[in-house]
Amino acid sequence: MNHTAEPTKVPILGKENIVVDYNLWGTYIVHDLLTNVPSATYILITDTNLHDKYFPSFEASFSEVNAQQKSNARLLKYRIPPGETSKSRATKADLEDWLLSDERDPPCDTKSVIIALGGGVIGDMIGFVAATFKRGIRFVQVPTSLLAMVDSSIGGKTAIDTPAGKNLIGAFWQPSKIYIDLNFLNTLPTREFINGMAEVIKTAAIWDEEEFERLESNASSVMAAIRTSPELGDQRLSTVRSIIKSLVLGSVKVKAHVVSADEREGGLRNLLNFGHSIGHAYEGILTPQILHGECVSIGMVLEAALARHLGVLDAIVSNGF
């Protein structure tokens, strides 16, 4: 994927570290990494489903830009099985042992940079590895799902699951960069797309009435596009490209603003948990048959109804859900 125009950058915690546009994967990201997140070693970590589709083109771009800049940086890769079960102590330990292995010659060190390519599972788990490896190394997020683009990749929350529950062991560890390439959405399955839209709706509902109304007015055209086959490739979202970018940017800007004001979830950031208290209860019982965004959707409806019952939400607003 090649990129010519300057992408949109969103500030978070005082730095323009979130980059949003189409066609970032490949040359743009490689050039930006070598220039702004310099290292002798980059480790791209993804799942086995994404590796064959996206790693070869990135490797080719890395070699090309690396040569142009006369850099001696190297690119390593590591694959994990897809799915929530990989977000575990065992997977984390396997990856850490691989990073520490003598086979990595020279070994990965405190100046190495991890590239997390994937959805929320990859971002959460790899972010936690980065937070703890050598007492903390730099990493960048490259989210490939809508849910990860608008939610989990932003804010520095990293974690793994345990038998006692989801995300119970983790750390706050901010990525050096977040590259949101909207082209990944062209191949996202319809159900996963709708799964991510739940977080887009949530953000608009808690923060921006105009954005919520814009979502309602564009719902039909967006749904028509995402219900087409992912096999259409770049043509799948061609009729709603500008709408999709606007919706994603709207959510990204709100979350970046909230995180910047309340990085460690001391108060304001709790707003982002709308729908999650009840939603997580459903998710804990029904996962993996039901997706996170689907649970949050149920949670938003029920929490709005509860708020109405308690007299803290106007009935007309509640009917908007």
Side-chain angles (χ1 to χ4, degrees):
M1 300 179 186
N2 296 316
H3 192 278
T4 53
E6 188 67 18
T8 304
K9 297 179 180 179
V10 178
I12 182 169
L13 296 167
K15 298 179 180 178
E16 290 189 330
N17 283 343
I18 306 176
V19 186
V20 184
D21 214 332
Y22 292 90
N23 302 319
L24 300 177
W25 183 245
T27 302
Y28 178 87
I29 291 179
V30 172
H31 185 274
D32 194 64
L33 281 174
L34 292 173
T35 304
N36 298 313
V37 194
S39 176
T41 301
Y42 297 90
I43 310 108
L44 190 148
I45 304 172
T46 189
D47 67 39
T48 51
N49 285 344
L50 294 171
H51 174 271
D52 291 349
K53 187 172 184 63
Y54 295 115
F55 179 76
S57 63
F58 188 81
E59 184 178 38
S61 295
F62 189 90
S63 296
E64 181 181 349
V65 177
N66 208 22
Q68 290 172 354
Q69 296 194 5
K70 295 182 172 56
S71 168
N72 292 320
R74 62 173 175 165
L75 177 65
L76 306 179
K77 66 175 180 178
Y78 187 88
R79 289 169 284 186
I80 66 172
E84 192 76 24
T85 55
S86 286
K87 193 174 157 184
S88 65
R89 289 172 173 146
T91 305
K92 182 174 184 286
D94 288 344
L95 172 54
E96 289 164 340
D97 288 344
W98 182 87
L99 290 169
L100 292 167
S101 170
D102 290 338
E103 295 177 9
R104 315 284 83 74
D105 185 20
C108 299
D109 57 24
T110 56
K111 296 180 180 179
S112 299
V113 174
I114 293 178
I115 304 165
L117 171 70
V121 169
I122 288 285
D124 285 2
M125 201 268 290
I126 302 311
F128 190 30
V129 170
T132 56
F133 185 76
K134 301 283 186 176
R135 296 191 177 93
I137 63 173
R138 293 170 295 166
F139 85 112
V140 301
Q141 291 267 23
V142 187
T144 58
S145 70
L146 180 59
L147 186 68
M149 289 178 183
V150 300
D151 187 46
S152 62
S153 69
I154 303 169
K157 278 187 176 182
T158 72
I160 55 174
D161 300 338
T162 73
K166 286 172 58 66
N167 300 325
L168 294 181
I169 299 178
F172 284 95
W173 192 250
Q174 296 295 338
S176 298
K177 290 278 185 174
I178 304 168
Y179 299 105
I180 300 176
D181 186 346
L182 302 172
N183 255 26
F184 287 124
L185 299 178
N186 280 307
T187 56
L188 194 67
T190 299
R191 187 182 178 195
E192 288 288 350
F193 210 118
I194 295 171
N195 182 45
M197 285 301 296
E199 293 287 354
V200 176
I201 293 167
K202 176 209 74 177
T203 303
I206 64 172
W207 199 264
D208 192 334
E209 183 178 352
E210 289 185 7
E211 188 68 17
F212 192 87
E213 291 174 350
R214 186 158 40 247
L215 275 168
E216 290 184 311
S217 63
N218 288 310
S220 296
S221 56
V222 171
M223 287 304 298
I226 67 177
R227 281 180 173 146
T228 57
S229 172
E231 295 177 359
L232 288 174
D234 291 353
Q235 298 303 310
R236 184 189 186 199
L237 303 178
S238 59
T239 60
V240 291
R241 279 173 63 93
S242 60
I243 296 173
I244 293 295
K245 183 175 180 180
S246 175
L247 295 179
V248 170
L249 269 174
S251 290
V252 167
K253 288 176 179 178
V254 170
K255 182 150 190 185
H257 172 79
V258 172
V259 168
S260 297
D262 181 20
E263 182 182 3
R264 296 299 181 105
E265 212 167 44
L268 179 64
R269 193 166 173 176
N270 287 326
L271 275 174
L272 298 172
N273 291 326
F274 174 48
H276 286 62
S277 296
I278 293 177
H280 277 164
Y282 277 90
E283 192 172 6
I285 297 169
L286 299 174
T287 190
Q289 286 78 22
I290 190 166
L291 301 176
H292 174 75
E294 294 167 341
C295 294
V296 170
S297 296
I298 295 169
M300 285 191 288
V301 172
L302 295 179
E303 288 177 22
L306 178 60
R308 179 182 173 186
H309 175 74
L310 295 173
V312 295
L313 180 66
D314 185 80
I316 297 176
V317 175
S318 180
N319 288 336
F321 281 89

